[in-house]
Amino acid sequence: LLLVSLARLPVTVSIALVGAFAIFHGHAHGAEMPSAATPLLYGLGFILATGTLHLVGIGFSRWVRHFKAEWVLRGIGVLTGSLGAWLLLAA
């Protein structure tokens, strides 16, 4: 919803939201760790994947700003929200 509305939140609110979602998201992945997995390697894989996703996100946001393509962000927000609603309803 924040992407669809292109909301501009204060930095402190944004940091708090991202931090809260990160804690719960990380906990969910940690709880799903297979018993046969090596915890160190499992954790390192998530660190590498998270870093890669952050770099891709930073590059993408620069692209959006350069081409003034905010409509792309709204489209991603609609797609993500729709998929999330579908997953909740399908469960």
Side-chain angles (χ1 to χ4, degrees), residues 24-64:
F24 289 110
H25 189 84
H27 180 270
H29 281 296
E32 294 174 347
M33 181 175 70
S35 58
T38 305
L40 178 64
L41 293 177
Y42 191 80
L44 288 174
F46 271 100
I47 290 169
L48 180 62
T50 299
T52 302
L53 287 171
H54 278 85
L55 290 174
V56 168
I58 290 167
F60 183 73
S61 70
R62 288 184 176 184
W63 179 86
V64 167

Side-chain angles (χ1 to χ4, degrees), residues 7-32:
R8 301 277 184 193
L9 301 176
V11 174
T12 53
V13 174
S14 297
I15 290 171
L17 279 173
V18 169
F21 280 105
I23 288 170
F24 289 110
H25 189 84
H27 180 270
H29 281 296
E32 294 174 347

